PDB file of all heavy atoms in Angstrom:
ATOM      1  N   GLN A 196      16.353   7.660 -10.582  1.00 97.00           N
ATOM      2  CA  GLN A 196      17.313   6.785 -11.272  1.00 97.00           C
ATOM      3  C   GLN A 196      18.199   6.079 -10.257  1.00 97.00           C
ATOM      4  O   GLN A 196      18.434   4.874 -10.365  1.00 97.00           O
ATOM      5  CB  GLN A 196      18.163   7.587 -12.245  1.00 97.00           C
ATOM      6  CG  GLN A 196      19.258   6.751 -12.901  1.00 97.00           C
ATOM      7  CD  GLN A 196      20.140   7.559 -13.827  1.00 97.00           C
ATOM      8  OE1 GLN A 196      19.674   8.429 -14.542  1.00 97.00           O
ATOM      9  NE2 GLN A 196      21.430   7.270 -13.804  1.00 97.00           N
ATOM     10  N   ASN A 197      18.706   6.797  -9.279  1.00 97.00           N
ATOM     11  CA  ASN A 197      19.549   6.181  -8.249  1.00 97.00           C
ATOM     12  C   ASN A 197      18.791   5.083  -7.503  1.00 97.00           C
ATOM     13  O   ASN A 197      19.343   4.026  -7.203  1.00 97.00           O
ATOM     14  CB  ASN A 197      20.071   7.230  -7.278  1.00 97.00           C
ATOM     15  CG  ASN A 197      21.089   8.144  -7.922  1.00 97.00           C
ATOM     16  OD1 ASN A 197      21.700   7.807  -8.928  1.00 97.00           O
ATOM     17  ND2 ASN A 197      21.271   9.324  -7.340  1.00 97.00           N
ATOM     18  N   GLY A 198      17.524   5.340  -7.226  1.00 97.00           N
ATOM     19  CA  GLY A 198      16.698   4.325  -6.572  1.00 97.00           C
ATOM     20  C   GLY A 198      16.514   3.103  -7.449  1.00 97.00           C
ATOM     21  O   GLY A 198      16.600   1.962  -6.975  1.00 97.00           O
ATOM     22  N   ALA A 199      16.267   3.323  -8.733  1.00 97.00           N
ATOM     23  CA  ALA A 199      16.080   2.202  -9.666  1.00 97.00           C
ATOM     24  C   ALA A 199      17.347   1.363  -9.763  1.00 97.00           C
ATOM     25  O   ALA A 199      17.294   0.129  -9.727  1.00 97.00           O
ATOM     26  CB  ALA A 199      15.670   2.734 -11.037  1.00 97.00           C
ATOM     27  N   LEU A 200      18.490   2.017  -9.878  1.00 98.00           N
ATOM     28  CA  LEU A 200      19.756   1.287  -9.965  1.00 98.00           C
ATOM     29  C   LEU A 200      20.019   0.488  -8.692  1.00 98.00           C
ATOM     30  O   LEU A 200      20.471  -0.659  -8.753  1.00 98.00           O
ATOM     31  CB  LEU A 200      20.902   2.248 -10.261  1.00 98.00           C
ATOM     32  CG  LEU A 200      20.860   2.914 -11.628  1.00 98.00           C
ATOM     33  CD1 LEU A 200      21.969   3.946 -11.764  1.00 98.00           C
ATOM     34  CD2 LEU A 200      20.916   1.889 -12.745  1.00 98.00           C
ATOM     35  N   ALA A 201      19.721   1.076  -7.549  1.00 97.00           N
ATOM     36  CA  ALA A 201      19.904   0.369  -6.280  1.00 97.00           C
ATOM     37  C   ALA A 201      19.012  -0.870  -6.225  1.00 97.00           C
ATOM     38  O   ALA A 201      19.445  -1.938  -5.766  1.00 97.00           O
ATOM     39  CB  ALA A 201      19.601   1.300  -5.104  1.00 97.00           C
ATOM     40  N   ALA A 202      17.795  -0.750  -6.705  1.00 97.00           N
ATOM     41  CA  ALA A 202      16.872  -1.892  -6.698  1.00 97.00           C
ATOM     42  C   ALA A 202      17.368  -3.000  -7.615  1.00 97.00           C
ATOM     43  O   ALA A 202      17.386  -4.176  -7.227  1.00 97.00           O
ATOM     44  CB  ALA A 202      15.484  -1.446  -7.125  1.00 97.00           C
ATOM     45  N   LEU A 203      17.774  -2.641  -8.823  1.00 97.00           N
ATOM     46  CA  LEU A 203      18.242  -3.659  -9.756  1.00 97.00           C
ATOM     47  C   LEU A 203      19.449  -4.397  -9.190  1.00 97.00           C
ATOM     48  O   LEU A 203      19.513  -5.630  -9.214  1.00 97.00           O
ATOM     49  CB  LEU A 203      18.559  -3.030 -11.113  1.00 97.00           C
ATOM     50  CG  LEU A 203      17.354  -2.472 -11.878  1.00 97.00           C
ATOM     51  CD1 LEU A 203      17.810  -1.736 -13.129  1.00 97.00           C
ATOM     52  CD2 LEU A 203      16.365  -3.567 -12.224  1.00 97.00           C
ATOM     53  N   ARG A 204      20.390  -3.633  -8.648  1.00 97.00           N
ATOM     54  CA  ARG A 204      21.589  -4.253  -8.065  1.00 97.00           C
ATOM     55  C   ARG A 204      21.226  -5.152  -6.878  1.00 97.00           C
ATOM     56  O   ARG A 204      21.755  -6.260  -6.737  1.00 97.00           O
ATOM     57  CB  ARG A 204      22.569  -3.180  -7.616  1.00 97.00           C
ATOM     58  CG  ARG A 204      23.207  -2.425  -8.762  1.00 97.00           C
ATOM     59  CD  ARG A 204      24.110  -1.308  -8.241  1.00 97.00           C
ATOM     60  NE  ARG A 204      24.561  -0.458  -9.298  1.00 97.00           N
ATOM     61  CZ  ARG A 204      24.397   0.872  -9.338  1.00 97.00           C
ATOM     62  NH1 ARG A 204      23.801   1.503  -8.340  1.00 97.00           N
ATOM     63  NH2 ARG A 204      24.850   1.577 -10.360  1.00 97.00           N
ATOM     64  N   SER A 205      20.338  -4.664  -6.016  1.00 96.00           N
ATOM     65  CA  SER A 205      19.999  -5.437  -4.817  1.00 96.00           C
ATOM     66  C   SER A 205      19.229  -6.707  -5.145  1.00 96.00           C
ATOM     67  O   SER A 205      19.205  -7.640  -4.345  1.00 96.00           O
ATOM     68  CB  SER A 205      19.224  -4.577  -3.812  1.00 96.00           C
ATOM     69  OG  SER A 205      17.906  -4.366  -4.255  1.00 96.00           O
ATOM     70  N   HIS A 206      18.645  -6.770  -6.325  1.00 96.00           N
ATOM     71  CA  HIS A 206      17.914  -7.968  -6.751  1.00 96.00           C
ATOM     72  C   HIS A 206      18.731  -8.828  -7.705  1.00 96.00           C
ATOM     73  O   HIS A 206      18.192  -9.712  -8.362  1.00 96.00           O
ATOM     74  CB  HIS A 206      16.570  -7.594  -7.349  1.00 96.00           C
ATOM     75  CG  HIS A 206      15.632  -6.980  -6.351  1.00 96.00           C
ATOM     76  ND1 HIS A 206      15.255  -7.614  -5.189  1.00 96.00           N
ATOM     77  CD2 HIS A 206      15.024  -5.781  -6.324  1.00 96.00           C
ATOM     78  CE1 HIS A 206      14.443  -6.831  -4.499  1.00 96.00           C
ATOM     79  NE2 HIS A 206      14.302  -5.710  -5.164  1.00 96.00           N
ATOM     80  N   GLY A 207      20.048  -8.562  -7.780  1.00 96.00           N
ATOM     81  CA  GLY A 207      20.949  -9.460  -8.482  1.00 96.00           C
ATOM     82  C   GLY A 207      21.201  -9.171  -9.947  1.00 96.00           C
ATOM     83  O   GLY A 207      21.842  -9.972 -10.631  1.00 96.00           O
ATOM     84  N   VAL A 208      20.718  -8.041 -10.457  1.00 97.00           N
ATOM     85  CA  VAL A 208      21.001  -7.691 -11.848  1.00 97.00           C
ATOM     86  C   VAL A 208      22.439  -7.179 -11.923  1.00 97.00           C
ATOM     87  O   VAL A 208      22.822  -6.280 -11.170  1.00 97.00           O
ATOM     88  CB  VAL A 208      20.013  -6.630 -12.386  1.00 97.00           C
ATOM     89  CG1 VAL A 208      20.351  -6.268 -13.830  1.00 97.00           C
ATOM     90  CG2 VAL A 208      18.574  -7.122 -12.281  1.00 97.00           C
ATOM     91  N   ALA A 209      23.226  -7.773 -12.797  1.00 97.00           N
ATOM     92  CA  ALA A 209      24.633  -7.390 -12.936  1.00 97.00           C
ATOM     93  C   ALA A 209      24.757  -5.989 -13.537  1.00 97.00           C
ATOM     94  O   ALA A 209      23.944  -5.580 -14.364  1.00 97.00           O
ATOM     95  CB  ALA A 209      25.362  -8.397 -13.824  1.00 97.00           C
ATOM     96  N   GLU A 210      25.769  -5.289 -13.110  1.00 96.00           N
ATOM     97  CA  GLU A 210      26.032  -3.925 -13.592  1.00 96.00           C
ATOM     98  C   GLU A 210      26.082  -3.867 -15.123  1.00 96.00           C
ATOM     99  O   GLU A 210      25.537  -2.954 -15.736  1.00 96.00           O
ATOM    100  CB  GLU A 210      27.350  -3.434 -12.994  1.00 96.00           C
ATOM    101  CG  GLU A 210      27.557  -1.955 -13.055  1.00 96.00           C
ATOM    102  CD  GLU A 210      26.671  -1.192 -12.082  1.00 96.00           C
ATOM    103  OE1 GLU A 210      26.368  -1.690 -10.993  1.00 96.00           O
ATOM    104  OE2 GLU A 210      26.278  -0.069 -12.448  1.00 96.00           O
ATOM    105  N   ASP A 211      26.727  -4.844 -15.735  1.00 97.00           N
ATOM    106  CA  ASP A 211      26.855  -4.877 -17.198  1.00 97.00           C
ATOM    107  C   ASP A 211      25.538  -5.180 -17.900  1.00 97.00           C
ATOM    108  O   ASP A 211      25.452  -5.062 -19.127  1.00 97.00           O
ATOM    109  CB  ASP A 211      27.899  -5.908 -17.629  1.00 97.00           C
ATOM    110  CG  ASP A 211      29.315  -5.484 -17.293  1.00 97.00           C
ATOM    111  OD1 ASP A 211      29.533  -4.279 -17.001  1.00 97.00           O
ATOM    112  OD2 ASP A 211      30.205  -6.353 -17.303  1.00 97.00           O
ATOM    113  N   ASP A 212      24.528  -5.596 -17.144  1.00 98.00           N
ATOM    114  CA  ASP A 212      23.222  -5.920 -17.722  1.00 98.00           C
ATOM    115  C   ASP A 212      22.208  -4.798 -17.540  1.00 98.00           C
ATOM    116  O   ASP A 212      21.012  -4.995 -17.740  1.00 98.00           O
ATOM    117  CB  ASP A 212      22.696  -7.223 -17.106  1.00 98.00           C
ATOM    118  CG  ASP A 212      23.491  -8.433 -17.560  1.00 98.00           C
ATOM    119  OD1 ASP A 212      24.088  -8.376 -18.653  1.00 98.00           O
ATOM    120  OD2 ASP A 212      23.519  -9.429 -16.817  1.00 98.00           O
ATOM    121  N   ILE A 213      22.689  -3.621 -17.155  1.00 98.00           N
ATOM    122  CA  ILE A 213      21.833  -2.441 -16.982  1.00 98.00           C
ATOM    123  C   ILE A 213      22.278  -1.384 -17.981  1.00 98.00           C
ATOM    124  O   ILE A 213      23.452  -1.030 -18.043  1.00 98.00           O
ATOM    125  CB  ILE A 213      21.939  -1.870 -15.550  1.00 98.00           C
ATOM    126  CG1 ILE A 213      21.563  -2.926 -14.503  1.00 98.00           C
ATOM    127  CG2 ILE A 213      21.063  -0.627 -15.413  1.00 98.00           C
ATOM    128  CD1 ILE A 213      21.888  -2.524 -13.073  1.00 98.00           C
ATOM    129  N   THR A 214      21.319  -0.890 -18.751  1.00 98.00           N
ATOM    130  CA  THR A 214      21.586   0.189 -19.706  1.00 98.00           C
ATOM    131  C   THR A 214      20.722   1.381 -19.332  1.00 98.00           C
ATOM    132  O   THR A 214      19.510   1.242 -19.178  1.00 98.00           O
ATOM    133  CB  THR A 214      21.241  -0.257 -21.148  1.00 98.00           C
ATOM    134  OG1 THR A 214      21.986  -1.437 -21.457  1.00 98.00           O
ATOM    135  CG2 THR A 214      21.561   0.833 -22.151  1.00 98.00           C
ATOM    136  N   ILE A 215      21.358   2.546 -19.179  1.00 98.00           N
ATOM    137  CA  ILE A 215      20.645   3.789 -18.879  1.00 98.00           C
ATOM    138  C   ILE A 215      20.518   4.579 -20.179  1.00 98.00           C
ATOM    139  O   ILE A 215      21.519   4.792 -20.879  1.00 98.00           O
ATOM    140  CB  ILE A 215      21.414   4.643 -17.843  1.00 98.00           C
ATOM    141  CG1 ILE A 215      21.682   3.847 -16.566  1.00 98.00           C
ATOM    142  CG2 ILE A 215      20.667   5.939 -17.542  1.00 98.00           C
ATOM    143  CD1 ILE A 215      20.470   3.473 -15.789  1.00 98.00           C
ATOM    144  N   ILE A 216      19.310   5.051 -20.477  1.00 98.00           N
ATOM    145  CA  ILE A 216      19.074   5.839 -21.685  1.00 98.00           C
ATOM    146  C   ILE A 216      18.417   7.157 -21.270  1.00 98.00           C
ATOM    147  O   ILE A 216      17.248   7.187 -20.900  1.00 98.00           O
ATOM    148  CB  ILE A 216      18.165   5.098 -22.689  1.00 98.00           C
ATOM    149  CG1 ILE A 216      18.792   3.769 -23.113  1.00 98.00           C
ATOM    150  CG2 ILE A 216      17.916   5.960 -23.914  1.00 98.00           C
ATOM    151  CD1 ILE A 216      18.301   2.615 -22.313  1.00 98.00           C
ATOM    152  N   PRO A 217      19.165   8.252 -21.294  1.00 98.00           N
ATOM    153  CA  PRO A 217      18.558   9.551 -20.989  1.00 98.00           C
ATOM    154  C   PRO A 217      17.778  10.064 -22.196  1.00 98.00           C
ATOM    155  O   PRO A 217      18.199   9.869 -23.343  1.00 98.00           O
ATOM    156  CB  PRO A 217      19.747  10.459 -20.679  1.00 98.00           C
ATOM    157  CG  PRO A 217      20.977   9.708 -21.052  1.00 98.00           C
ATOM    158  CD  PRO A 217      20.611   8.326 -21.453  1.00 98.00           C
ATOM    159  N   VAL A 218      16.646  10.693 -21.932  1.00 98.00           N
ATOM    160  CA  VAL A 218      15.843  11.345 -22.970  1.00 98.00           C
ATOM    161  C   VAL A 218      15.509  12.750 -22.491  1.00 98.00           C
ATOM    162  O   VAL A 218      15.559  13.031 -21.290  1.00 98.00           O
ATOM    163  CB  VAL A 218      14.560  10.551 -23.299  1.00 98.00           C
ATOM    164  CG1 VAL A 218      14.888   9.175 -23.884  1.00 98.00           C
ATOM    165  CG2 VAL A 218      13.655  10.418 -22.094  1.00 98.00           C
ATOM    166  N   PRO A 219      15.152  13.652 -23.420  1.00 97.00           N
ATOM    167  CA  PRO A 219      14.910  15.036 -23.006  1.00 97.00           C
ATOM    168  C   PRO A 219      13.790  15.203 -21.978  1.00 97.00           C
ATOM    169  O   PRO A 219      13.957  15.915 -20.994  1.00 97.00           O
ATOM    170  CB  PRO A 219      14.550  15.740 -24.318  1.00 97.00           C
ATOM    171  CG  PRO A 219      15.176  14.910 -25.381  1.00 97.00           C
ATOM    172  CD  PRO A 219      15.119  13.497 -24.874  1.00 97.00           C
ATOM    173  N   GLY A 220      12.645  14.581 -22.201  1.00 94.00           N
ATOM    174  CA  GLY A 220      11.509  14.762 -21.307  1.00 94.00           C
ATOM    175  C   GLY A 220      10.628  13.532 -21.256  1.00 94.00           C
ATOM    176  O   GLY A 220      10.879  12.536 -21.945  1.00 94.00           O
ATOM    177  N   ALA A 221       9.565  13.602 -20.472  1.00 93.00           N
ATOM    178  CA  ALA A 221       8.655  12.464 -20.306  1.00 93.00           C
ATOM    179  C   ALA A 221       7.937  12.115 -21.604  1.00 93.00           C
ATOM    180  O   ALA A 221       7.641  10.949 -21.855  1.00 93.00           O
ATOM    181  CB  ALA A 221       7.647  12.763 -19.202  1.00 93.00           C
TER     182      ALA A 221
END
């Protein structure tokens, strides 16, 4: 997740345009 967030931010996706949805399992 940390890697994904870093990628989105580094490619210009605004913080407010990212939604994290936790789920129990795969």
Side-chain angles (χ1 to χ4, degrees):
Q196 175 182 321
N197 290 339
L200 294 175
L203 293 174
R204 291 176 189 125
S205 74
H206 294 303
V208 179
E210 197 72 33
D211 289 344
D212 290 335
I213 302 169
T214 303
I215 304 294
I216 300 95
V218 297

